[in-house]
Amino acid sequence: MAETARTGGERTRPGGDGRNGRDGRDGDDALSAWALATFHAAALLVVPLTLAHVVAPDALGDILAGLDTLVGLALFLVLWGSTWWTNRRYLAACAFADASGTLGAGARWGAVTGLPLLGCVAVAAFVATNPTFAALVLVAGSLLAPIVGAVVGVVFAALDVALDRVAAALVS
């Protein structure tokens, strides 16, 4: 993780972006981690479900019908919690002013996020379909989840940098 630099008694992350704290527990970083985790978790659900609905609407309806509200809520909370945890580390490891460093941190922590997401998909597959399919999802997914997570992490990091620059332009 990136070390914080001391400037005038205030902790800031490398890159001088003015965010306090190093692990998402202080001030702006806590809010940033919460907001990014919520946005990333929602996007991780909405985008694939929308694509699945476009490609195979009948199959998606059958799978989702097998899930109840409590299971869906529990899976979302696991996804959001793991995304929040990794986003705190992602924010501590990067400064949005350094786009390449941010993309690297996004890849690293996106790969970590891929594994709990795989767990959520496997549980949903187990509950909604059958154990054999869930086992297949776990075996194939354990190889692919970190790779897909890293790619998605880079995409989210690029989006985060772009949105941070837009926000900075609007504020100044």
Side-chain angles (χ1 to χ4, degrees):
M1 286 192 203
E3 293 296 319
T4 56
R6 291 235 175 240
T7 56
E10 179 181 34
R11 292 188 313 160
T12 60
R13 292 186 308 175
D17 65 354
R19 293 197 178 121
N20 296 331
R22 81 174 261 158
D23 63 354
R25 293 183 188 157
D26 302 295
D28 291 341
D29 275 349
L31 179 60
S32 295
W34 184 87
L36 288 176
T38 302
F39 171 71
H40 293 167
L44 285 170
L45 287 176
V46 170
V47 170
L49 288 175
T50 301
L51 291 174
H53 178 68
V54 169
V55 173
D58 294 334
L60 180 64
D62 293 340
I63 291 171
L64 292 178
L67 295 175
D68 62 21
T69 303
L70 190 58
V71 171
L73 179 62
L75 292 175
F76 180 78
L77 289 176
V78 168
L79 174 62
W80 184 87
S82 62
T83 305
W84 172 77
W85 184 83
T86 55
N87 271 278
R88 288 177 52 210
R89 276 116 188 107
Y90 156 71
L91 287 172
C94 70
F96 290 142
D98 174 22
S100 64
T102 300
L103 296 179
R108 179 174 42 256
W109 290 106
V112 173
T113 306
L115 295 172
L117 179 59
L118 168 64
C120 290
V121 170
V123 168
F126 180 80
V127 170
T129 59
N130 63 54
T132 305
F133 182 67
L136 179 64
V137 166
L138 274 175
V139 170
S142 64
L143 301 173
L144 295 175
I147 296 167
V148 172
V151 171
V152 172
V154 168
V155 170
F156 276 141
L159 184 59
D160 295 342
V161 168
L163 291 174
D164 185 68
R165 291 182 179 168
V166 168
L170 290 173
V171 171
S172 60

